[in-house]
Amino acid sequence: MKLFKAGAAAAVSVVLALTATACGGSSDKASDSGASGGAKKDKIVIGIKFDQPGLGLKNPDGKFTGFDVDVATYVAKELGYQPNQIEFKQAVSAERENLIANGDVKLVVATYTINDKRKAKVDFAGPYFKAHQDMLVRADDTSITKAEDLNKKKLCSVTGSTSAQNIKTKLAPDADLREYPGYSECLTGLENKAVDALTTDNSILAGFAAQEKNKGKFKLVGLNLSDEPYGIGLKKGDKDLQTKVNAALKKMVEDGSWQKSVDANFGPAGYKAEPAPQITEGS
């Protein structure tokens, strides 16, 4: 009987252990801010762009590269996640707020400019980078040298981006605005002469222009039409996560990882990034 009881007790212990393991996994929409109580979470879901070379690009082999990818990976590490615990989810411009609000992602690191309209819906950490709005045109086009030249011309940007609206409302009200789902579609339209210019942040445009397949086809006009401070989007009111992400960004700058990533991702395009900006969100 003693042997039987000992065996039964062991079996119960195994069942309880398995039950605890099954209940202990985290879901994509968990509200934790990282590792807590010494326990590692299964994964963290981070929204990035999939079509921005130099910033957030999904390569044919399924791997992700770019400055935003490096920032996301570094921040995730500081929150307690290894690279194999990160799930990258595509965050197109028009869906970034919804992805955060619905809990589909924990963070959005996707050339996400901090502005008051967006801050009404989500919170930000950062900024971690400062870009400026510019325009990309065909290399042989000499007719567009300033924003006003876009009047009566076809201007492309992505749905949900603030860049085209900035030109349309302030600088070239007669521009024929064409909004496409992604930058790749705009670039194809530019090459095929379906549109005359593509506008967005200079960092994004430089990444496209520097691609091997695009070398010699396009050029940056060289305008600073706006300041674009990139922040990391997160759920509104999650001050604990905001504080942790800000701390991670500061550490990335201090230990040289930020500059190393800037050089690796933007250097080949000859794009000169500004120094890391001061963190203002959450302060």
Side-chain angles (χ1 to χ4, degrees):
M1 289 297 291
K2 289 183 179 180
L3 182 61
F4 173 77
K5 289 180 179 178
V12 170
S13 297
V14 171
V15 171
L16 289 173
L18 289 173
T19 302
T21 301
C23 295
S26 66
S27 68
D28 292 358
K29 301 185 180 183
S31 60
D32 60 276
S33 301
S36 60
K40 296 288 185 180
K41 300 301 179 181
D42 288 344
K43 66 178 179 180
I44 184 171
V45 184
I46 301 177
I48 62 168
K49 291 296 180 67
F50 279 17
D51 64 345
Q52 291 180 353
L55 286 152
L57 184 68
K58 184 177 182 180
N59 296 289
D61 61 3
K63 293 182 180 179
F64 298 94
T65 57
F67 178 69
D68 278 354
V69 175
D70 291 346
V71 171
T73 302
Y74 190 99
V75 169
K77 179 194 69 175
E78 293 301 305
L79 294 177
Y81 298 92
Q82 296 303 310
N84 63 359
Q85 293 176 292
I86 302 172
E87 177 186 330
F88 288 120
K89 187 177 183 70
Q90 187 171 23
V92 298
S93 295
E95 290 298 319
R96 290 176 294 200
E97 285 86 21
N98 289 336
L99 288 171
I100 295 169
N102 295 338
D104 295 318
V105 298
K106 177 66 69 176
L107 303 169
V108 168
V109 191
T111 57
Y112 201 6
T113 298
I114 301 169
N115 61 39
D116 290 340
K117 182 178 179 181
R118 290 168 178 164
K119 286 169 69 173
K121 299 178 180 178
V122 302
D123 278 342
F124 286 95
Y128 63 90
F129 192 83
K130 189 175 184 180
H132 301 281
Q133 185 183 347
D134 199 354
M135 293 187 295
L136 193 71
V137 298
R138 289 180 290 277
D140 60 354
D141 189 344
T142 59
S143 67
I144 301 175
T145 60
K146 57 186 183 298
E148 290 77 9
D149 293 335
L150 289 170
N151 283 312
K152 308 300 184 183
K153 291 184 180 292
K154 294 182 285 292
L155 172 65
C156 189
S157 195
V158 300
T159 304
S161 171
T162 58
S163 299
Q165 292 297 334
N166 183 47
I167 290 179
K168 179 77 174 172
T169 58
K170 299 178 183 178
L171 302 169
D174 292 329
D176 182 4
L177 178 59
R178 308 289 177 90
E179 291 186 302
Y180 290 2
Y183 293 108
S184 297
E185 291 90 338
C186 278
L187 204 69
T188 299
L190 183 60
E191 183 175 3
N192 296 337
K193 299 186 178 182
V195 297
D196 299 302
L198 162 59
T199 186
T200 188
D201 305 347
N202 51 10
S203 54
I204 299 171
L205 298 175
F208 279 115
Q211 281 187 296
E212 192 64 36
K213 64 181 180 180
N214 293 329
K215 285 183 178 178
K217 294 181 180 179
F218 309 107
K219 64 182 179 182
L220 284 165
V221 177
L223 306 175
N224 285 349
L225 299 175
S226 67
D227 292 334
E228 305 293 336
Y230 293 165
I232 296 181
L234 50 99
K235 195 164 187 176
K236 195 162 185 64
D238 194 341
K239 298 303 180 184
D240 181 56
L241 180 58
Q242 184 184 50
T243 299
K244 290 178 179 178
V245 174
N246 277 336
L249 292 174
K250 289 178 183 178
K251 184 177 178 182
M252 187 177 185
V253 173
E254 291 168 356
D255 70 12
S257 299
W258 186 92
Q259 189 62 53
K260 183 179 179 180
S261 179
V262 167
D263 293 342
N265 289 292
F266 299 127
Y271 171 74
K272 302 298 182 183
E274 293 188 15
Q278 291 293 314
I279 290 176
T280 57
E281 297 304 303
S283 59

